Amino acid sequence: MDNLKIPYQDLRFYSNIIKDYLDRKDEVRPFYHRFPTLHNFEAQIQEKQAEWKEAPPKRASLVEVLRDQYQSLPENEHVASNINLLSSDNTFTITTGHQLNLFTGPLYFLYKIASTINLCKKLKEAYPDRNFVPIFWMATEDHDFEEVQYFNFGDRKIVYDREAGGAVGRLDNSGLDKVYDSFETLLGNHEHAKQLKNLFKNAYLSHKNLADATRYIAHELFGQEGLVVLDADDARLKQHAIGHFEQDLLDNLAFERVNETIDAFPPEYKVQVNPREINLFYLTDEHRGRIIFKDEKYFVDGVDLAFAKAELLKELHDHPERFSPNVILRPLYQEIILPNLCYIGGGGEMAYWLELKSFFEASKVTFPILLLRNSAHLATSKELDKLSRLKLQPADLFQEEFELEEQVTRQISHINIDFEPQKRHLKNQFADLYDLAEKTEKSFKTAVAAQEQKQINGLEHLEKRLLKAQKRKLADEIERSLKLQKEWLPSGGLQERVTNFSYFYQNYGSDLIDKILEGLDPLDLRFTVIKID
């Protein structure tokens, strides 16, 4: 079969705000700038180019930092060319980002990058006189180690068990030799397994920290596509954001504007993140603590450190690398230092970006186009054959378990479990009684209505009893469908949010990356089932 597409709106895994954004509903319109269509990128390019017209130092800093960060990696002409192109005022970026999950974490790490690469290709075709560079932004300054310290290989959880504090990107790789030993025992000795072993070993045992290791992995998997990996934890980049950081410390601009936006959200939209009065952390190698203003001083949460206003501002100007933006301020920092047109992220990311437009406008920074990353399921021929034999479609497996159970029961039962014809017949019978009731007193009409509802309730009860009886009778066939659903949705969730790429790479090697790149169209806003063999 060809790759199958399923509207995100038909899947239960996506929030109301994301579904409404994809449908371009009026309720969401105030919260984004331009919708992701090829046509809309022309205006986005013009706006970003005007904003960056007087910003050659930012381009120079970006290129300098990237060249330094790539010094230890194997040379790749595609990556080197893209870094050089960033010096030109006719070059723009498309950006995605992710945490430094061990060995990339869930599969959607790859889908984010593939979406970004493929969008750059589409834009180059549409606007051949401009250049578009795919950027992977590493969330090196995050300090929640528990979120990144493991990955799932089949039903096994590979865990990097150690004490950690401060930014994860600065965390040294000590102890990962033991993780490598555990992982190695799960892999065979065939060619693709050896490639995975070498990739893990060269990444984590030959590099000093998690940032360098993650850059190496992304470079090895996608370097031929020209992917540029950026660690923005650098004083040379943060110096360009000093004015905005200072504004957050003194004026609480993000706090005010984002809260105004949240207040304007329709009640059915879940608030993804709430701003703080100050959205900066103070960052050292050992600690990342919130900056809190209290009693005319600025305190660092978790350590015995405080600054007067003048002292803090001097620290910011002398050492901008010690100031780390949180989830609210990080998107602004990204758009300050990159000539970026579009951010590609998952549903949760899109939801908090939709809180930020007013803040960007007040900061006089162009708000990027927001594009929901491609989501996908990797399906084997064996899985698809099972589906066919069970007379199911891939979309059926994304239902709740009880919904699939009922669908299969009704589908394979030789008895018609739908009592709608009987309900219609009953209503027709009561129509004559209602005609009669119109000619007598009101209480009789009420009695007729009550009797009608009682009999409809009885039919519905019988329908449920019949469905339950058929479920027992057809238990074997139903169980096969439910078993396939459990394989399709590991831990009850989307495969892409649970399974690591290595589980498939061990069988398909680099063909897996090619299949993903070929199967995903970033501007096709539907879920994709990719046949991988």
Side-chain angles (χ1 to χ4, degrees), residues 508-523:
Y508 303 104
S510 60
D511 285 349
L512 174 68
I513 307 299
D514 295 337
K515 286 281 188 181
I516 290 171
L517 285 166
E518 292 167 7
L520 299 180
D521 179 350
L523 297 178

Side-chain angles (χ1 to χ4, degrees), residues 405-418:
E405 187 177 10
E406 182 169 326
Q407 176 191 326
V408 172
T409 304
R410 292 181 184 276
Q411 191 170 295
I412 63 178
S413 173
H414 296 299
I415 301 172
N416 185 6
I417 306 175
D418 185 0

Side-chain angles (χ1 to χ4, degrees), residues 25 71 76 108 125 131 138 144 146 155 206 209 219 222 239 269 298 369 385 390 402 418 435 488 496 510:
K25 289 191 175 179
Q71 280 186 354
N76 182 297
Y108 66 76
E125 291 177 6
N131 304 306
M138 295 192 296
D144 195 342
E146 291 182 358
D155 58 358
S206 301
N209 57 39
H219 184 67
F222 293 101
Q239 67 177 336
Y269 293 167
Y298 292 86
I369 290 174
D385 287 345
L390 291 167
F402 76 89
D418 185 0
D435 289 340
W488 194 272
E496 63 175 30
S510 60

Side-chain angles (χ1 to χ4, degrees), residues 144-380:
D144 195 342
F145 180 65
E146 291 182 358
E147 289 189 3
V148 305
Q149 69 177 142
Y150 69 93
F151 67 94
N152 296 308
F153 183 81
D155 58 358
R156 296 290 296 274
K157 189 173 185 177
I158 311 297
V159 181
Y160 181 21
D161 190 12
R162 61 164 292 175
E163 294 294 322
V168 294
R170 301 182 183 186
L171 192 65
D172 70 76
N173 291 337
S174 60
L176 275 162
D177 53 337
K178 296 178 182 177
V179 179
Y180 170 73
D181 292 340
S182 298
F183 185 39
E184 185 185 27
T185 61
L186 298 177
L187 296 168
N189 289 314
H190 50 83
E191 187 59 31
H192 301 326
K194 291 176 184 176
Q195 291 170 7
L196 285 170
K197 293 175 188 178
N198 288 333
L199 182 62
F200 190 101
K201 189 174 183 179
N202 292 336
Y204 293 106
L205 307 189
S206 301
H207 290 89
K208 65 180 181 180
N209 57 39
L210 290 184
D212 290 348
T214 303
R215 183 187 297 107
Y216 175 84
I217 293 171
H219 184 67
E220 287 295 297
L221 294 178
F222 293 101
Q224 289 302 112
E225 300 293 334
L227 178 71
V228 175
V229 182
L230 175 63
D231 178 1
D233 182 10
D234 192 291
R236 291 167 291 180
L237 298 177
K238 287 187 176 178
Q239 67 177 336
H240 299 296
I242 286 175
H244 294 277
F245 288 178
E246 187 172 304
Q247 191 172 50
D248 189 72
L249 292 167
L250 302 181
D251 301 331
N252 308 136
L253 180 64
F255 181 73
E256 293 177 5
R257 291 306 179 99
V258 176
N259 274 326
E260 287 174 4
T261 299
I262 289 172
D263 289 342
F265 268 15
E268 64 269 22
Y269 293 167
K270 178 184 176 183
V271 175
Q272 192 70 20
V273 294
N274 287 288
R276 299 185 182 276
E277 291 185 356
I278 294 175
N279 295 281
L280 285 165
F281 293 88
Y282 189 78
L283 178 64
T284 66
D285 287 343
E286 295 77 29
H287 186 70
R288 186 179 185 237
R290 286 197 299 117
I291 299 174
I292 302 168
F293 182 66
K294 186 174 67 172
D295 299 330
E296 301 303 316
K297 280 199 168 185
Y298 292 86
F299 296 86
V300 178
D301 188 41
V303 294
D304 186 17
L305 188 61
F307 298 91
K309 175 181 172 181
E311 293 172 332
L312 187 69
L313 294 181
K314 185 177 187 305
E315 182 80 352
L316 173 61
H317 284 264
D318 291 348
H319 298 285
E321 72 278 6
R322 295 178 185 171
F323 292 78
S324 175
N326 73 356
V327 66
I328 290 290
L329 202 55
R330 188 211 64 77
L332 185 75
Y333 173 47
Q334 170 190 297
E335 298 302 310
I336 289 167
I337 66 171
L338 290 175
N340 195 51
L341 303 175
C342 173
Y343 184 75
I344 297 176
E349 291 173 286
M350 292 296 96
Y352 74 70
W353 272 89
L354 289 168
E355 299 177 20
L356 303 178
K357 179 170 172 277
S358 174
F359 170 48
F360 269 72
E361 291 170 346
S363 302
K364 295 181 171 56
V365 176
T366 301
F367 195 60
I369 290 174
L370 301 179
L371 177 60
L372 184 67
R373 66 166 173 83
N374 287 122
S375 289
H377 180 93
L378 303 181
T380 64

Side-chain angles (χ1 to χ4, degrees), residues 38-57:
L38 276 179
H39 173 75
N40 282 343
F41 273 94
E42 177 62 43
Q44 192 76 15
I45 289 168
Q46 298 292 346
E47 186 174 355
K48 196 66 179 182
Q49 194 161 36
E51 179 185 288
W52 273 60
K53 190 174 183 180
E54 306 300 328

Side-chain angles (χ1 to χ4, degrees), residues 466-491:
L466 178 59
L467 179 63
K468 190 174 181 179
Q470 286 300 95
K471 284 181 182 179
R472 289 195 297 268
K473 183 177 180 180
L474 304 170
D476 289 344
E477 292 93 330
I478 294 169
E479 183 58 33
R480 285 197 291 272
S481 299
L482 295 179
K483 182 180 178 182
L484 180 57
Q485 185 188 46
K486 286 183 172 62
E487 295 170 1
W488 194 272
L489 300 176
S491 302

Side-chain angles (χ1 to χ4, degrees), residues 425-453:
H425 180 66
L426 181 66
K427 286 180 179 290
N428 289 335
Q429 287 184 315
F430 270 85
D432 292 339
L433 288 174
Y434 278 114
D435 289 340
L436 182 62
E438 291 294 334
K439 300 171 184 176
T440 186
E441 63 180 61
K442 184 178 179 181
S443 62
F444 183 71
K445 184 177 180 180
T446 302
V448 170
Q451 186 64 29
E452 179 188 31
Q453 189 58 51

